[in-house]
Amino acid sequence: MSSSAEKVYSNRPAPKKDETRVSLFDRLRYYLPTIIIFFAVLLLWEVLVRALQIKQFIMPAPSSIFEAFRASLAQMIALGVYTGTEALGGFILGCGLGIAVALATARWTAARETLLPLAIAANSVPIIAFAPIMNNWFGITNQTSKMAIVAVITFFPMMINMTRGLTLVDPSALELMRSYAVNEWTVLREVRIPNSLPYMFNAFKICSTLALIGAVVGEFFGGTRDALGVYITQEAALFRFENSWAAIVIACLLGIGFYVLIVAIERLVIPWHASVRKTEE
Amino acid sequence: MSVVSISSVNKIFGKPGENQTIALKDIDLQIEQGEFISLIGPSGCGKSTLLRIIGDLISPTNGTVLVNGKPAPQARENREYGIVFQAPVLFDWRSVEKNVQLPLEIMGKSPHERTARANEMLELVELNGFQKHYPYQLSGGMQQRVSIARALSFNPPLLLMDEPFGALDEITRERLNAELLDIWSRTKTTIVFVTHSIPEAVFLSTRVVVMSARPGRITQIIPIDLPQPRSGETRESPRYYELITQVREGLRGGEGMKE
Ligand SMILES: Nc1ncnc2c1ncn2[C@@H]1O[C@H](COP(=O)(O)OP(=O)(O)OP(=O)(O)O)[C@@H](O)[C@H]1O
Ligand SMILES: [Mg+2]
């Protein structure tokens, strides 16, 4: 008789602690095809460059890029840190302001309705075109000028996404809160902000890519040789293309690292959201 | 004193001069303590509107609504009613137990009291053991039970339900009907319940309010004299079928009055 009672309870599983996480093995298995394709492409590249005897300055082989990378590893890391700092600084500034403005206008429909179309318009402008102006304002050899570019580029997507997240709330959820006779601040804390988190992480992902583009392209317009963008252009001008490529690899690694970091934080912060959670297969 | 007292309530949507909808016309209704009232009528006849006016989610164009002797806005400020929508409206970011605790948190109850109360409510809707689950891990019927537990958690004297079981299959619906009646008899809460299902209205209610559309108005109030507590047997009694027929004819009569 006790077994029947147990049976009832076994139909009601206690949630497993890491139900929302994926085991390391599963994750490896999931990414294995990607990894295989990545190395296959590298191999094909190497073989093609050698077989067709493609000139170094057109397309260096992966092996010579790797060699250049290894030979000046310390310098590569320094370049990555320099430009990464610009991207991160600008990202924090731009996203921070974007979130702040979205929160400030969440309550005032009038302010939001005037600002949002402007932001959407501004977002469709190629802001990177302003890079020379920023270099002029904040100093061309200065990290601040690149951060300013990144901040401007990341501000608009963040503000637009965040505003959507704060306002596209289930109307019934708002009625429920109204039935509890709560103030606007409680609605913001309990409904609007949690609702906006998936939108915010979405914007973080978009902005992480934009931040690196902004920083590197900003450097193309000038700066010191500590900067990735400057290094890439100068080495290319000197026909040392394998060095340019090595620096491009650093830029790629920075971008991927940035993105992966955001995804990891997202998993921790919003495990309940459909983009993150894992249901049993 | 009536729990809900509605006199000469009208609701017109839209500004004068524009396309106006008369959603409710001359509504009078008294609901006594411990009653189970169903609102039934064709789509668009103003059932949801009437429920939302009782709960002060919207205001009537004119007329008065008293809840426990006070104007509806006052009753809302005092948090005198729990509300259940057709969709569960659970917060994805809160676990089942945290969802049930939401009104208690807002009302500043202690964590200890909140946990105890949430457990008690989840027991009541037969969801014990699901405290730490998230809404996406539950079926639609289970989510709706969580939303009922949340509405009951702070012991509101009045429960407003807008087609709470509308999206569920027949079998789940019948089980939840039985559960709801059980909760109703134990908590002594007054319930106003919107439904499209005639058998559901008859099975659950002490009175069925039949409405008709354009303009939305009450055409008939049918007392349901089936013995309490209701059970599977109720659904087999001849009187049950008589009452179903009566409500159905009431609904037809309302249609017939349309020009
Ligand atoms: N916010 C609104 N603005 C304008 N018209 C509205 C609004 N809400 C409801 N109405 C109108 O009021 C009438 C009654 O709507 P209501 O939602 O109360 O109907 P209902 O009886 O609940 O219908 P259903 O059974 O389909 O849920 C409808 O004609 C509808 O178009
Ligand atoms: Mg309705």
PDB file of all heavy atoms in Angstrom, chain A residues 12-13 15 19-20 173 175-176 178 180-182 190 194 272 277, chain B residues 52 56-57 76 79 85 92-94 106 132-133 136-137 150:
ATOM      1  N   ARG A  12       5.409  13.002  -9.463  1.00  0.00           N
ATOM      2  CA  ARG A  12       5.622  14.433  -9.257  1.00  0.00           C
ATOM      3  C   ARG A  12       7.091  14.653  -8.948  1.00  0.00           C
ATOM      4  O   ARG A  12       7.472  14.829  -7.803  1.00  0.00           O
ATOM      5  CB  ARG A  12       4.794  14.895  -8.070  1.00  0.00           C
ATOM      6  CG  ARG A  12       3.341  14.559  -8.262  1.00  0.00           C
ATOM      7  CD  ARG A  12       2.576  14.892  -7.028  1.00  0.00           C
ATOM      8  NE  ARG A  12       1.155  14.919  -7.368  1.00  0.00           N
ATOM      9  CZ  ARG A  12       0.205  15.226  -6.516  1.00  0.00           C
ATOM     10  NH1 ARG A  12       0.508  15.546  -5.288  1.00  0.00           N
ATOM     11  NH2 ARG A  12      -1.040  15.231  -6.882  1.00  0.00           N
ATOM     12  N   PRO A  13       7.919  14.633 -10.001  1.00  0.00           N
ATOM     13  CA  PRO A  13       9.347  14.687  -9.739  1.00  0.00           C
ATOM     14  C   PRO A  13       9.759  16.021  -9.135  1.00  0.00           C
ATOM     15  O   PRO A  13       9.245  17.058  -9.534  1.00  0.00           O
ATOM     16  CB  PRO A  13       9.963  14.524 -11.138  1.00  0.00           C
ATOM     17  CG  PRO A  13       8.904  14.989 -12.072  1.00  0.00           C
ATOM     18  CD  PRO A  13       7.588  14.717 -11.415  1.00  0.00           C
ATOM     19  N   PRO A  15      12.170  19.016  -8.941  1.00  0.00           N
ATOM     20  CA  PRO A  15      12.992  19.518 -10.044  1.00  0.00           C
ATOM     21  C   PRO A  15      14.456  19.194  -9.811  1.00  0.00           C
ATOM     22  O   PRO A  15      14.963  19.381  -8.713  1.00  0.00           O
ATOM     23  CB  PRO A  15      12.750  21.020 -10.001  1.00  0.00           C
ATOM     24  CG  PRO A  15      12.215  21.312  -8.652  1.00  0.00           C
ATOM     25  CD  PRO A  15      11.548  20.079  -8.175  1.00  0.00           C
ATOM     26  N   GLU A  19      18.587  20.979 -14.074  1.00  0.00           N
ATOM     27  CA  GLU A  19      17.722  20.674 -15.194  1.00  0.00           C
ATOM     28  C   GLU A  19      17.904  21.701 -16.308  1.00  0.00           C
ATOM     29  O   GLU A  19      17.764  21.399 -17.473  1.00  0.00           O
ATOM     30  CB  GLU A  19      16.267  20.702 -14.736  1.00  0.00           C
ATOM     31  CG  GLU A  19      15.398  19.791 -15.526  1.00  0.00           C
ATOM     32  CD  GLU A  19      14.116  19.513 -14.763  1.00  0.00           C
ATOM     33  OE1 GLU A  19      13.555  20.440 -14.168  1.00  0.00           O
ATOM     34  OE2 GLU A  19      13.692  18.368 -14.766  1.00  0.00           O
ATOM     35  N   THR A  20      18.222  22.920 -15.914  1.00  0.00           N
ATOM     36  CA  THR A  20      18.343  23.982 -16.899  1.00  0.00           C
ATOM     37  C   THR A  20      19.755  24.030 -17.492  1.00  0.00           C
ATOM     38  O   THR A  20      20.012  24.749 -18.418  1.00  0.00           O
ATOM     39  CB  THR A  20      18.027  25.337 -16.261  1.00  0.00           C
ATOM     40  OG1 THR A  20      18.783  25.445 -15.066  1.00  0.00           O
ATOM     41  CG2 THR A  20      16.561  25.454 -15.961  1.00  0.00           C
ATOM     42  N   ALA A 173      -0.973  40.806 -16.999  1.00  0.00           N
ATOM     43  CA  ALA A 173      -0.050  40.899 -15.868  1.00  0.00           C
ATOM     44  C   ALA A 173      -0.191  42.273 -15.211  1.00  0.00           C
ATOM     45  O   ALA A 173      -0.155  42.399 -13.980  1.00  0.00           O
ATOM     46  CB  ALA A 173       1.387  40.672 -16.322  1.00  0.00           C
ATOM     47  N   GLU A 175      -2.952  44.088 -15.265  1.00  0.00           N
ATOM     48  CA  GLU A 175      -4.240  44.092 -14.566  1.00  0.00           C
ATOM     49  C   GLU A 175      -4.129  43.356 -13.241  1.00  0.00           C
ATOM     50  O   GLU A 175      -4.717  43.770 -12.239  1.00  0.00           O
ATOM     51  CB  GLU A 175      -5.315  43.432 -15.437  1.00  0.00           C
ATOM     52  CG  GLU A 175      -5.670  44.250 -16.663  1.00  0.00           C
ATOM     53  CD  GLU A 175      -7.015  43.865 -17.253  1.00  0.00           C
ATOM     54  OE1 GLU A 175      -7.376  42.676 -17.168  1.00  0.00           O
ATOM     55  OE2 GLU A 175      -7.698  44.755 -17.792  1.00  0.00           O
ATOM     56  N   LEU A 176      -3.372  42.258 -13.256  1.00  0.00           N
ATOM     57  CA  LEU A 176      -3.173  41.508 -12.010  1.00  0.00           C
ATOM     58  C   LEU A 176      -2.525  42.420 -10.962  1.00  0.00           C
ATOM     59  O   LEU A 176      -2.980  42.482  -9.810  1.00  0.00           O
ATOM     60  CB  LEU A 176      -2.272  40.302 -12.282  1.00  0.00           C
ATOM     61  CG  LEU A 176      -2.041  39.371 -11.106  1.00  0.00           C
ATOM     62  CD1 LEU A 176      -3.289  38.545 -10.835  1.00  0.00           C
ATOM     63  CD2 LEU A 176      -0.863  38.449 -11.363  1.00  0.00           C
ATOM     64  N   ARG A 178      -2.607  45.615 -10.905  1.00  0.00           N
ATOM     65  CA  ARG A 178      -3.586  46.641 -10.535  1.00  0.00           C
ATOM     66  C   ARG A 178      -4.532  46.101  -9.466  1.00  0.00           C
ATOM     67  O   ARG A 178      -4.909  46.809  -8.543  1.00  0.00           O
ATOM     68  CB  ARG A 178      -4.373  47.081 -11.777  1.00  0.00           C
ATOM     69  CG  ARG A 178      -5.421  48.137 -11.485  1.00  0.00           C
ATOM     70  CD  ARG A 178      -6.069  48.654 -12.763  1.00  0.00           C
ATOM     71  NE  ARG A 178      -7.341  49.303 -12.486  1.00  0.00           N
ATOM     72  CZ  ARG A 178      -7.476  50.576 -12.136  1.00  0.00           C
ATOM     73  NH1 ARG A 178      -6.415  51.347 -12.058  1.00  0.00           N
ATOM     74  NH2 ARG A 178      -8.670  51.085 -11.877  1.00  0.00           N
ATOM     75  N   TYR A 180      -3.810  44.180  -7.195  1.00  0.00           N
ATOM     76  CA  TYR A 180      -3.123  44.203  -5.894  1.00  0.00           C
ATOM     77  C   TYR A 180      -2.905  45.628  -5.402  1.00  0.00           C
ATOM     78  O   TYR A 180      -2.266  45.827  -4.360  1.00  0.00           O
ATOM     79  CB  TYR A 180      -1.758  43.502  -5.985  1.00  0.00           C
ATOM     80  CG  TYR A 180      -1.815  42.045  -6.381  1.00  0.00           C
ATOM     81  CD1 TYR A 180      -0.826  41.488  -7.169  1.00  0.00           C
ATOM     82  CD2 TYR A 180      -2.856  41.226  -5.960  1.00  0.00           C
ATOM     83  CE1 TYR A 180      -0.869  40.158  -7.540  1.00  0.00           C
ATOM     84  CE2 TYR A 180      -2.905  39.898  -6.334  1.00  0.00           C
ATOM     85  CZ  TYR A 180      -1.912  39.371  -7.122  1.00  0.00           C
ATOM     86  OH  TYR A 180      -1.964  38.051  -7.492  1.00  0.00           O
ATOM     87  N   ALA A 181      -3.398  46.607  -6.165  1.00  0.00           N
ATOM     88  CA  ALA A 181      -3.279  48.024  -5.787  1.00  0.00           C
ATOM     89  C   ALA A 181      -1.835  48.399  -5.454  1.00  0.00           C
ATOM     90  O   ALA A 181      -1.551  48.940  -4.394  1.00  0.00           O
ATOM     91  CB  ALA A 181      -4.204  48.340  -4.601  1.00  0.00           C
ATOM     92  N   VAL A 182      -0.912  48.110  -6.378  1.00  0.00           N
ATOM     93  CA  VAL A 182       0.492  48.446  -6.143  1.00  0.00           C
ATOM     94  C   VAL A 182       0.859  49.712  -6.909  1.00  0.00           C
ATOM     95  O   VAL A 182       0.160  50.124  -7.824  1.00  0.00           O
ATOM     96  CB  VAL A 182       1.444  47.308  -6.587  1.00  0.00           C
ATOM     97  CG1 VAL A 182       1.213  46.075  -5.761  1.00  0.00           C
ATOM     98  CG2 VAL A 182       1.277  47.010  -8.070  1.00  0.00           C
ATOM     99  N   GLU A 190       8.599  44.221 -10.340  1.00  0.00           N
ATOM    100  CA  GLU A 190       8.085  42.849 -10.380  1.00  0.00           C
ATOM    101  C   GLU A 190       7.742  42.378 -11.788  1.00  0.00           C
ATOM    102  O   GLU A 190       7.731  41.180 -12.043  1.00  0.00           O
ATOM    103  CB  GLU A 190       6.832  42.719  -9.498  1.00  0.00           C
ATOM    104  CG  GLU A 190       7.076  42.931  -8.019  1.00  0.00           C
ATOM    105  CD  GLU A 190       7.974  41.869  -7.409  1.00  0.00           C
ATOM    106  OE1 GLU A 190       8.129  40.797  -8.009  1.00  0.00           O
ATOM    107  OE2 GLU A 190       8.535  42.148  -6.339  1.00  0.00           O
ATOM    108  N   PRO A 194      11.912  42.298 -14.923  1.00  0.00           N
ATOM    109  CA  PRO A 194      12.140  40.874 -15.275  1.00  0.00           C
ATOM    110  C   PRO A 194      11.764  40.577 -16.722  1.00  0.00           C
ATOM    111  O   PRO A 194      12.454  39.836 -17.411  1.00  0.00           O
ATOM    112  CB  PRO A 194      11.219  40.116 -14.314  1.00  0.00           C
ATOM    113  CG  PRO A 194      10.928  41.047 -13.210  1.00  0.00           C
ATOM    114  CD  PRO A 194      11.037  42.438 -13.745  1.00  0.00           C
ATOM    115  N   TRP A 272      15.083  30.745 -16.648  1.00  0.00           N
ATOM    116  CA  TRP A 272      13.684  30.438 -16.919  1.00  0.00           C
ATOM    117  C   TRP A 272      13.279  30.789 -18.336  1.00  0.00           C
ATOM    118  O   TRP A 272      12.198  30.443 -18.790  1.00  0.00           O
ATOM    119  CB  TRP A 272      12.784  31.206 -15.946  1.00  0.00           C
ATOM    120  CG  TRP A 272      13.215  32.624 -15.755  1.00  0.00           C
ATOM    121  CD1 TRP A 272      14.035  33.091 -14.743  1.00  0.00           C
ATOM    122  CD2 TRP A 272      12.923  33.757 -16.579  1.00  0.00           C
ATOM    123  NE1 TRP A 272      14.238  34.433 -14.909  1.00  0.00           N
ATOM    124  CE2 TRP A 272      13.571  34.867 -16.021  1.00  0.00           C
ATOM    125  CE3 TRP A 272      12.158  33.942 -17.730  1.00  0.00           C
ATOM    126  CZ2 TRP A 272      13.503  36.148 -16.568  1.00  0.00           C
ATOM    127  CZ3 TRP A 272      12.086  35.208 -18.280  1.00  0.00           C
ATOM    128  CH2 TRP A 272      12.757  36.295 -17.704  1.00  0.00           C
ATOM    129  N   ARG A 277      16.566  27.873 -21.321  1.00  0.00           N
ATOM    130  CA  ARG A 277      16.206  26.662 -20.593  1.00  0.00           C
ATOM    131  C   ARG A 277      16.297  25.442 -21.492  1.00  0.00           C
ATOM    132  O   ARG A 277      16.175  25.499 -22.704  1.00  0.00           O
ATOM    133  CB  ARG A 277      14.796  26.788 -20.032  1.00  0.00           C
ATOM    134  CG  ARG A 277      13.743  26.728 -21.112  1.00  0.00           C
ATOM    135  CD  ARG A 277      12.461  27.296 -20.579  1.00  0.00           C
ATOM    136  NE  ARG A 277      11.431  27.223 -21.584  1.00  0.00           N
ATOM    137  CZ  ARG A 277      10.352  27.994 -21.577  1.00  0.00           C
ATOM    138  NH1 ARG A 277      10.189  28.887 -20.630  1.00  0.00           N
ATOM    139  NH2 ARG A 277       9.441  27.882 -22.498  1.00  0.00           N
TER     140      ARG A 277
ATOM    141  N   ARG B  52     -14.717  42.986 -14.981  1.00  0.00           N
ATOM    142  CA  ARG B  52     -13.653  43.976 -14.791  1.00  0.00           C
ATOM    143  C   ARG B  52     -14.162  45.226 -14.094  1.00  0.00           C
ATOM    144  O   ARG B  52     -13.409  45.901 -13.385  1.00  0.00           O
ATOM    145  CB  ARG B  52     -13.016  44.308 -16.135  1.00  0.00           C
ATOM    146  CG  ARG B  52     -12.134  43.162 -16.658  1.00  0.00           C
ATOM    147  CD  ARG B  52     -12.182  43.048 -18.161  1.00  0.00           C
ATOM    148  NE  ARG B  52     -11.798  44.284 -18.807  1.00  0.00           N
ATOM    149  CZ  ARG B  52     -10.535  44.608 -19.068  1.00  0.00           C
ATOM    150  NH1 ARG B  52      -9.584  43.758 -18.800  1.00  0.00           N
ATOM    151  NH2 ARG B  52     -10.233  45.752 -19.610  1.00  0.00           N
ATOM    152  N   ASP B  56     -12.923  46.798 -10.510  1.00  0.00           N
ATOM    153  CA  ASP B  56     -12.345  48.128 -10.697  1.00  0.00           C
ATOM    154  C   ASP B  56     -11.080  48.085 -11.563  1.00  0.00           C
ATOM    155  O   ASP B  56     -10.131  48.833 -11.360  1.00  0.00           O
ATOM    156  CB  ASP B  56     -12.026  48.808  -9.359  1.00  0.00           C
ATOM    157  CG  ASP B  56     -11.578  50.261  -9.559  1.00  0.00           C
ATOM    158  OD1 ASP B  56     -12.188  50.946 -10.397  1.00  0.00           O
ATOM    159  OD2 ASP B  56     -10.605  50.675  -8.903  1.00  0.00           O
ATOM    160  N   LEU B  57     -11.061  47.157 -12.533  1.00  0.00           N
ATOM    161  CA  LEU B  57      -9.976  47.219 -13.514  1.00  0.00           C
ATOM    162  C   LEU B  57     -10.331  48.260 -14.562  1.00  0.00           C
ATOM    163  O   LEU B  57      -9.463  48.862 -15.174  1.00  0.00           O
ATOM    164  CB  LEU B  57      -9.750  45.837 -14.147  1.00  0.00           C
ATOM    165  CG  LEU B  57      -9.266  44.764 -13.158  1.00  0.00           C
ATOM    166  CD1 LEU B  57      -9.143  43.409 -13.832  1.00  0.00           C
ATOM    167  CD2 LEU B  57      -7.932  45.170 -12.536  1.00  0.00           C
ATOM    168  N   ARG B  76     -10.753  47.619  -4.157  1.00  0.00           N
ATOM    169  CA  ARG B  76      -9.505  47.212  -4.816  1.00  0.00           C
ATOM    170  C   ARG B  76      -8.313  47.658  -3.975  1.00  0.00           C
ATOM    171  O   ARG B  76      -7.367  46.896  -3.765  1.00  0.00           O
ATOM    172  CB  ARG B  76      -9.415  47.813  -6.216  1.00  0.00           C
ATOM    173  CG  ARG B  76      -8.172  47.378  -6.981  1.00  0.00           C
ATOM    174  CD  ARG B  76      -8.192  47.858  -8.416  1.00  0.00           C
ATOM    175  NE  ARG B  76      -8.188  49.302  -8.525  1.00  0.00           N
ATOM    176  CZ  ARG B  76      -7.085  50.061  -8.448  1.00  0.00           C
ATOM    177  NH1 ARG B  76      -5.918  49.507  -8.263  1.00  0.00           N
ATOM    178  NH2 ARG B  76      -7.178  51.366  -8.549  1.00  0.00           N
ATOM    179  N   ARG B  79      -7.640  45.388  -1.359  1.00  0.00           N
ATOM    180  CA  ARG B  79      -7.306  44.048  -1.878  1.00  0.00           C
ATOM    181  C   ARG B  79      -8.341  43.015  -1.430  1.00  0.00           C
ATOM    182  O   ARG B  79      -8.035  42.030  -0.767  1.00  0.00           O
ATOM    183  CB  ARG B  79      -5.919  43.636  -1.395  1.00  0.00           C
ATOM    184  CG  ARG B  79      -4.837  44.491  -2.020  1.00  0.00           C
ATOM    185  CD  ARG B  79      -3.635  44.598  -1.155  1.00  0.00           C
ATOM    186  NE  ARG B  79      -2.603  45.429  -1.807  1.00  0.00           N
ATOM    187  CZ  ARG B  79      -1.587  45.963  -1.141  1.00  0.00           C
ATOM    188  NH1 ARG B  79      -1.444  45.758   0.151  1.00  0.00           N
ATOM    189  NH2 ARG B  79      -0.715  46.710  -1.778  1.00  0.00           N
ATOM    190  N   PHE B  85      -7.616  34.862 -14.669  1.00  0.00           N
ATOM    191  CA  PHE B  85      -7.932  35.132 -16.075  1.00  0.00           C
ATOM    192  C   PHE B  85      -8.026  33.825 -16.851  1.00  0.00           C
ATOM    193  O   PHE B  85      -7.728  32.753 -16.341  1.00  0.00           O
ATOM    194  CB  PHE B  85      -6.831  35.994 -16.703  1.00  0.00           C
ATOM    195  CG  PHE B  85      -6.637  37.315 -16.024  1.00  0.00           C
ATOM    196  CD1 PHE B  85      -5.664  37.471 -15.050  1.00  0.00           C
ATOM    197  CD2 PHE B  85      -7.412  38.410 -16.367  1.00  0.00           C
ATOM    198  CE1 PHE B  85      -5.459  38.692 -14.431  1.00  0.00           C
ATOM    199  CE2 PHE B  85      -7.213  39.634 -15.750  1.00  0.00           C
ATOM    200  CZ  PHE B  85      -6.239  39.773 -14.779  1.00  0.00           C
ATOM    201  N   ASP B  92       7.044  34.007 -15.595  1.00  0.00           N
ATOM    202  CA  ASP B  92       8.019  32.983 -16.005  1.00  0.00           C
ATOM    203  C   ASP B  92       9.225  32.934 -15.082  1.00  0.00           C
ATOM    204  O   ASP B  92       9.855  31.904 -14.925  1.00  0.00           O
ATOM    205  CB  ASP B  92       8.552  33.294 -17.419  1.00  0.00           C
ATOM    206  CG  ASP B  92       7.492  33.081 -18.466  1.00  0.00           C
ATOM    207  OD1 ASP B  92       6.516  32.379 -18.165  1.00  0.00           O
ATOM    208  OD2 ASP B  92       7.651  33.613 -19.580  1.00  0.00           O
ATOM    209  N   TRP B  93       9.582  34.093 -14.519  1.00  0.00           N
ATOM    210  CA  TRP B  93      10.820  34.194 -13.748  1.00  0.00           C
ATOM    211  C   TRP B  93      10.623  33.802 -12.291  1.00  0.00           C
ATOM    212  O   TRP B  93      11.560  33.857 -11.506  1.00  0.00           O
ATOM    213  CB  TRP B  93      11.386  35.614 -13.832  1.00  0.00           C
ATOM    214  CG  TRP B  93      10.354  36.687 -13.619  1.00  0.00           C
ATOM    215  CD1 TRP B  93       9.990  37.251 -12.434  1.00  0.00           C
ATOM    216  CD2 TRP B  93       9.553  37.319 -14.623  1.00  0.00           C
ATOM    217  NE1 TRP B  93       9.005  38.170 -12.639  1.00  0.00           N
ATOM    218  CE2 TRP B  93       8.720  38.247 -13.976  1.00  0.00           C
ATOM    219  CE3 TRP B  93       9.460  37.178 -16.007  1.00  0.00           C
ATOM    220  CZ2 TRP B  93       7.813  39.045 -14.672  1.00  0.00           C
ATOM    221  CZ3 TRP B  93       8.543  37.980 -16.678  1.00  0.00           C
ATOM    222  CH2 TRP B  93       7.742  38.895 -16.016  1.00  0.00           C
ATOM    223  N   ARG B  94       9.421  33.451 -11.931  1.00  0.00           N
ATOM    224  CA  ARG B  94       9.179  33.018 -10.560  1.00  0.00           C
ATOM    225  C   ARG B  94       8.827  31.538 -10.546  1.00  0.00           C
ATOM    226  O   ARG B  94       8.078  31.077 -11.399  1.00  0.00           O
ATOM    227  CB  ARG B  94       8.011  33.809  -9.953  1.00  0.00           C
ATOM    228  CG  ARG B  94       8.386  35.212  -9.540  1.00  0.00           C
ATOM    229  CD  ARG B  94       7.161  35.966  -9.078  1.00  0.00           C
ATOM    230  NE  ARG B  94       7.548  37.216  -8.435  1.00  0.00           N
ATOM    231  CZ  ARG B  94       7.573  37.392  -7.119  1.00  0.00           C
ATOM    232  NH1 ARG B  94       7.182  36.432  -6.309  1.00  0.00           N
ATOM    233  NH2 ARG B  94       7.975  38.539  -6.608  1.00  0.00           N
ATOM    234  N   ILE B 106       3.701  41.300  -1.778  1.00  0.00           N
ATOM    235  CA  ILE B 106       3.260  42.681  -1.972  1.00  0.00           C
ATOM    236  C   ILE B 106       2.590  43.205  -0.706  1.00  0.00           C
ATOM    237  O   ILE B 106       2.732  44.365  -0.346  1.00  0.00           O
ATOM    238  CB  ILE B 106       2.319  42.764  -3.193  1.00  0.00           C
ATOM    239  CG1 ILE B 106       3.153  42.623  -4.473  1.00  0.00           C
ATOM    240  CG2 ILE B 106       1.530  44.052  -3.218  1.00  0.00           C
ATOM    241  CD1 ILE B 106       2.343  42.400  -5.717  1.00  0.00           C
ATOM    242  N   LYS B 132       9.090  24.083  -6.425  1.00  0.00           N
ATOM    243  CA  LYS B 132      10.301  24.642  -7.043  1.00  0.00           C
ATOM    244  C   LYS B 132      10.277  24.592  -8.567  1.00  0.00           C
ATOM    245  O   LYS B 132      11.228  24.989  -9.213  1.00  0.00           O
ATOM    246  CB  LYS B 132      11.544  23.873  -6.550  1.00  0.00           C
ATOM    247  CG  LYS B 132      11.681  23.820  -5.037  1.00  0.00           C
ATOM    248  CD  LYS B 132      12.241  25.125  -4.485  1.00  0.00           C
ATOM    249  CE  LYS B 132      12.459  25.018  -2.973  1.00  0.00           C
ATOM    250  NZ  LYS B 132      11.805  26.133  -2.255  1.00  0.00           N
ATOM    251  N   HIS B 133       9.211  24.071  -9.143  1.00  0.00           N
ATOM    252  CA  HIS B 133       9.126  24.050 -10.605  1.00  0.00           C
ATOM    253  C   HIS B 133       8.917  25.460 -11.140  1.00  0.00           C
ATOM    254  O   HIS B 133       8.439  26.342 -10.435  1.00  0.00           O
ATOM    255  CB  HIS B 133       7.946  23.173 -11.054  1.00  0.00           C
ATOM    256  CG  HIS B 133       8.256  21.708 -11.071  1.00  0.00           C
ATOM    257  ND1 HIS B 133       8.471  20.996  -9.931  1.00  0.00           N
ATOM    258  CD2 HIS B 133       8.388  20.839 -12.098  1.00  0.00           C
ATOM    259  CE1 HIS B 133       8.724  19.734 -10.251  1.00  0.00           C
ATOM    260  NE2 HIS B 133       8.686  19.618 -11.558  1.00  0.00           N
ATOM    261  N   TYR B 136       7.037  26.972 -17.043  1.00  0.00           N
ATOM    262  CA  TYR B 136       7.185  26.248 -18.315  1.00  0.00           C
ATOM    263  C   TYR B 136       7.286  24.741 -18.116  1.00  0.00           C
ATOM    264  O   TYR B 136       7.138  23.977 -19.072  1.00  0.00           O
ATOM    265  CB  TYR B 136       8.398  26.767 -19.095  1.00  0.00           C
ATOM    266  CG  TYR B 136       9.758  26.338 -18.579  1.00  0.00           C
ATOM    267  CD1 TYR B 136      10.338  25.140 -19.005  1.00  0.00           C
ATOM    268  CD2 TYR B 136      10.465  27.113 -17.677  1.00  0.00           C
ATOM    269  CE1 TYR B 136      11.584  24.747 -18.548  1.00  0.00           C
ATOM    270  CE2 TYR B 136      11.709  26.732 -17.212  1.00  0.00           C
ATOM    271  CZ  TYR B 136      12.263  25.550 -17.650  1.00  0.00           C
ATOM    272  OH  TYR B 136      13.492  25.160 -17.190  1.00  0.00           O
ATOM    273  N   GLN B 137       7.502  24.302 -16.897  1.00  0.00           N
ATOM    274  CA  GLN B 137       7.593  22.866 -16.632  1.00  0.00           C
ATOM    275  C   GLN B 137       6.237  22.251 -16.292  1.00  0.00           C
ATOM    276  O   GLN B 137       6.158  21.069 -15.973  1.00  0.00           O
ATOM    277  CB  GLN B 137       8.584  22.615 -15.492  1.00  0.00           C
ATOM    278  CG  GLN B 137      10.001  23.026 -15.843  1.00  0.00           C
ATOM    279  CD  GLN B 137      10.931  23.036 -14.661  1.00  0.00           C
ATOM    280  OE1 GLN B 137      10.627  23.651 -13.627  1.00  0.00           O
ATOM    281  NE2 GLN B 137      12.063  22.372 -14.780  1.00  0.00           N
ATOM    282  N   ARG B 150      -2.747  31.223  -6.390  1.00  0.00           N
ATOM    283  CA  ARG B 150      -2.264  32.596  -6.167  1.00  0.00           C
ATOM    284  C   ARG B 150      -3.424  33.520  -5.793  1.00  0.00           C
ATOM    285  O   ARG B 150      -3.318  34.338  -4.885  1.00  0.00           O
ATOM    286  CB  ARG B 150      -1.567  33.105  -7.436  1.00  0.00           C
ATOM    287  CG  ARG B 150      -1.102  34.551  -7.326  1.00  0.00           C
ATOM    288  CD  ARG B 150      -0.472  35.040  -8.611  1.00  0.00           C
ATOM    289  NE  ARG B 150      -1.409  34.941  -9.731  1.00  0.00           N
ATOM    290  CZ  ARG B 150      -1.052  35.012 -10.999  1.00  0.00           C
ATOM    291  NH1 ARG B 150       0.218  35.171 -11.318  1.00  0.00           N
ATOM    292  NH2 ARG B 150      -1.959  34.929 -11.956  1.00  0.00           N
TER     293      ARG B 150
END
